[in-house]
Amino acid sequence: MTTELDPITLQVVGGALHSIAEQMGNVLYRMSYSSIIRESQDLGAGLFDTEYNTLCESDSTPMHIGSLPGYLRGIEQTVPLSDWKPGDCVIHNHPYKGASHSPDIAIVMPVFFEGELVGFSANTAHHVDIGAATPGLIIDVPDVWAEGMLLDGVKLYEEGVRNENLWKYIRDNTRVPGLVMGDLEAQIASAELGVRRFEELLQTYGKATVLQATRQLMDYTERMMRREIAKIPDGEYFAEGFLDDDGRDRTKTLPIKVCVRVTGDSVEIDLTGSSPQVPTAFNVPFDGSTMVAAFFVFRAMLLDTYTSTEFVPQNEGSFRPIKVTAPKGCIFNPVMPAAAEARFCQIQRMADLVIKALSPVLPEKCTAGNAATLSFAAFSGVRPNGDYWVFLEVNEAAMGGRPESDGPDTIEELMRNTRNNPLEDLGMHLPLICDRYEVRDDVPPGAGKFRGGSGVVKSQRYLTPGYMTHESDRHLDVPWGVFGGKEGACGKMEIYNFERPDEIRQEYSKFSGLRTEEGDVVSYFSPSGGGYGDPLERDPQKVLDDVLDGFIDVDHAKEAYGVVLKEVDNGYGWDLDLPATEALRAQSAA
């Protein structure tokens, strides 16, 4: 079928596709057992055609759904299109064959219609433990084999019959089989729903109509992306930063260099000059993570759902105008068998640097420096009966100031989009207790006409001896301010014992298999965002509000914003001294 569909049919089919992806995501997180999926929703789901194009995606973590075409291309190396049968189910997580990283396991099922393979239903989810060298997460390991189970496009179900030996192998090679196997069953249910709904859609409107609709929708999204890219002046735009260390050698920072090359209606992100790959797991799978970060940042900047006046479907079309270059052997394109599990901080910073590079020509769409990192903590221990408990926690951070508003505080920014885990859930299931969970108040966020967001501080206390691995960064490179805004604040990690609260030690941003004792309290302080615009242009009332809300103190209001406050007996303690503020700001401007 080559005749273009009318707009109404196109919208109906497009809406149905998006609804299917949303249903798949809902089934997955509602049926899962582990909190990282059930509460944080660290997952992605969607439908794909036989060329592995994304037809629709769930509104969940950007990292997951953008990576699924890479999974499918990797699976094809083991399971070519001719080998798929109705009722098959493939499991895959190989980081050198398209996976975003090894804990993100994909479940893929084929969709047949009238005996013909027409597409795939697939999802990914982050599993709490895949038998790696340390429980839950890993940093300092020598190669990809130490990451745990590598499942390279193997059939978990063949024509509807489960491979019991493979199922037993997976169960026997995780520390928490109850969680992992339950989560896999949720993924299978999600994929089965996608198959059934896609078949129903084909039955209702006909294969020719549905597939023509998917092609038109992808072409439309591509046109919209190209239209926005074409508005950026042609040229090369540069930004650079650095990462703290590789998790082993604490003496070397790791450079990240970004060149954004705009040519007409297409764009290239060139990462040449970034750090060579490292001997730990702090590397990034190219297909499953580096490329996805590039897709994300341009979709977010140019076609944001809530700031665009036109609805743009989420599909393969937005990926087509974007090219990514990363030399083989660099941290963003490692060579097998380098480990590549701890890959998120790098792509967060890459996305942030793309925004920084384009800020001179897209000031209305950029932010100041975001936290642009990840605090991914794996808490674990062994129960009296010998069973492991493992808990994965993603901590919030903050965004930089924006063109028209302050950076959001304590938020999962950029590529994360996961949710926090309720403290009640933690207390009911695990020997941990949260002593502190609040907005960071030890340093102010970046000053600006629109200030940066404030980070979070969370303190978790061990009730029994245990272990901890922490994947994070940005203890050294401060989020920047733009257009006169001031820099934000770096993150930090502190550990002390509940019985000896004055004996505080500073930890590196990332560490592996740290032994913890009963009463140890681990406190993470996330970075705060940079400011956007001249702080002297900030509305004095907003500065007063920040003082009253505890984001900044009176001295900082005066020094950074030129706002003078006076003590008053009005129930709040402070009010604006506008004449003194105007005089101070005039003096500072002069």
Side-chain angles (χ1 to χ4, degrees), residues 479-500:
W480 51 80
V482 293
F483 309 125
K486 305 303 181 183
E487 65 184 24
C490 285
K492 63 179 180 179
M493 171 72 81
E494 296 179 347
I495 300 179
Y496 62 88
N497 192 275
F498 189 69
E499 300 295 330
R500 303 180 300 280

Side-chain angles (χ1 to χ4, degrees), residues 518-535:
E518 181 179 350
D520 279 355
V521 180
V522 181
S523 297
Y524 174 67
F525 297 74
S526 69
S528 294
Y532 187 109
D534 187 347

